[in-house]
Amino acid sequence: MTTTTLTAPPAAERTRDRGPDAARHRRKRILNWIAVHSVALALALFFILPFVFVFLTSVMSDGQALSGDLWPTSWHWSNYSTVFHTPGFLTWWRNSLVYAVLGTVFTVCSSVPVAYALAKFRFRGRRTAMILVISTMMLPPQVIIIPMYLVWAQQFHLSGSLWPLIIPMAFGDAYSIFLLRQFLLTIPQEYIESAKVDGCGELRTLLKIVVPMAKPGIAAVALFQFFYCWNDYFGPQIYAAQNPGAWTLSYGLESFKSAHSVNWNLTMAATLLVMAPVIIVFFFAQKAFVEGVTLTGVKG
Amino acid sequence: MALSLTTSAKAARSGAAGAPRNTPLRRKQNRDRMRVLGFLSPWLIGFSVFFAYPLIATVYFSFMHYNQIKAPDFVGLRNWKYVFQQMPLFGPALWNTMWLVVVMVALRVAFGLGIGLLVTKIKTGVGLFRTAFYIPYLAPPVAATVAFVFLLNPSTGPVNEMLGWIGLHGPNWFNDPSWSKPSLVLLSVWGIGDLMVIFMASLLDVPKEQYEAADLDGAGAWSKFRYVTWPHDHPDRTVRRGHRGRTDDAVLHAGPGRRKARVGCLHRARHGDPARLSRPLDPDRPAARLLAGLPELQHRRGMCALARALRHRHGRHPAADAQERRPHPGGGLR
């Protein structure tokens, strides 16, 4: 049943009779280990090397960055401060952060009740609502962007800011609703019923019983949404392009690259600075993200 | 008072059939309805304002001549005809999109499965390897693309530099129309982490007993993969196939070349910075946009599989399971 009971018999065998059979088995296992790990190591190298090259280039001098050298002759850490002092860079950083944080908070707050209703309430049209949520998820934003843009620009005069991207998130995000709903389905109805027996109102049941139980699901949704906002390029390009003060890092990086097309070292430093927050967030939230959520079973 | 939702709904229905108005049951039914509406309200507003309206407007405008100054003017199928017959970029864009969807998805699934399998076989340092394979996926698409434009740049890029060491003359990658799509594929295969995680979740679902049984029957590694892993993994694969990854924005950055114009970025091109406005695309022709969506319909589907894995990992309570499976009393679409 469990891994221990499964792996136990061969181990016992090995210790009991150390015949030639056991030795061959052992040798085969070692060879297998070497084969798997060397292939994995080689592949992992390919996945990591781009980061290494980007980093090495980011600390080169202007001249060396334009050569084919792979290793910096002298380390110019000042490239990073140059990037930071580029006009606009800190603004972009702040905008990205505002977009990602507000977007995440809004999405979670608005999607949890909807997901709860879809998962736990019984009402006419429940299935239809679910189908509509899923179809919203399938449609790419490109299809509806022009009418949306006209509304935001002409009715609300909000083009040139990130609000047209943030405000809709206060009204539920289909994908988050879907993920949360799937997660909430796993919470046994009995908990909710007993909360009601104890006199909890619907809202209190949600906040005191369901939300604490759904923490892993909420954490995953929040992270996905944070990454989505941080990485979003299409949205800021549509709504914020005309106002550099509203650019996000993703969008600003593009203009940075065009402005410093001969300074690969600076461009690479900026690139790393755009990547860094996401990767740092990942390392802090890894437990919730990969370990706790999707790969709990890896360790068997 | 302490009725569960199910029973209250049942009671409410019987009340609706027989009981006179304004009974407590009737009031309870109304209260239930308001409660559902209240919880759903964020999405109801969001759906109608940010989805249904613009979608209908897009279809509406696709039959109109509209320049944002004068009132829309009905022109029948003219916009659609323009897209299919005259727009010079439409054909190449469609072809490029199809090419990328077919090649990229196939390679991403193949590599995702391969690396997922490999990682499940690793015994030492699983966490380290998993992180190494996963991290590129996290790199923001724009940053990843800029990084690849540098790595693959023909004059000083490290990739061509290293190809030079072994005597190969590297291609021009993003600067060469015939190599730009393979370069994008390379970029998307680099960000394989999401598929790897999904495949791993599903591979680890395969009951160990089945491998043991295969061992006893003398199955080799390939047979085990073919007859145990593969069939088990199958239901998810169709779902995952749609998950395309990061190409969207990458296309825009990666440089010039008409071959790279994808349908998805056509209208983006027109809506973005003013320099791109000069492209031969008419602002009042949203028909192109309607088509733009087609290949992306499946974009986020991989997450269904993830949701499944997520639910599975957290152990479904049998009661919850039964409740979901139980046909609803009264039947029909409720």
Side-chain angles (χ1 to χ4, degrees), chain A residues 33 37 47 57 66 122 138 142-143 146 171 175 183 186 202 227 231 233 254 282 289 291 293-294, chain B residues 5 35 42 58 124 130 134 138 140 150 156 190 249 253 267-268 289 293 297 303 306 310-311 328:
Chain A
W33 188 95
H37 284 76
F47 275 73
T57 308
L66 280 175
R122 306 215 158 248
M138 304 283 170
Q142 283 84 353
V143 175
I146 289 184
F171 296 96
Y175 166 64
F183 196 88
T186 63
E202 217 43 86
F227 284 6
N231 293 345
Y233 177 81
E254 162 76 5
F282 170 74
F289 197 53
E291 290 275 325
V293 181
T294 49
Chain B
L5 282 170
R35 192 183 54 195
T58 298
T124 318
R130 209 174 50 210
Y134 191 74
L138 292 173
F150 162 70
T156 64
W190 186 55
D249 298 324
H253 296 274
H267 74 279
R268 203 178 307 159
R289 245 167 329 115
L297 279 178
M303 288 310 160
L306 183 60
L310 203 130
R311 188 167 54 174
H328 193 272

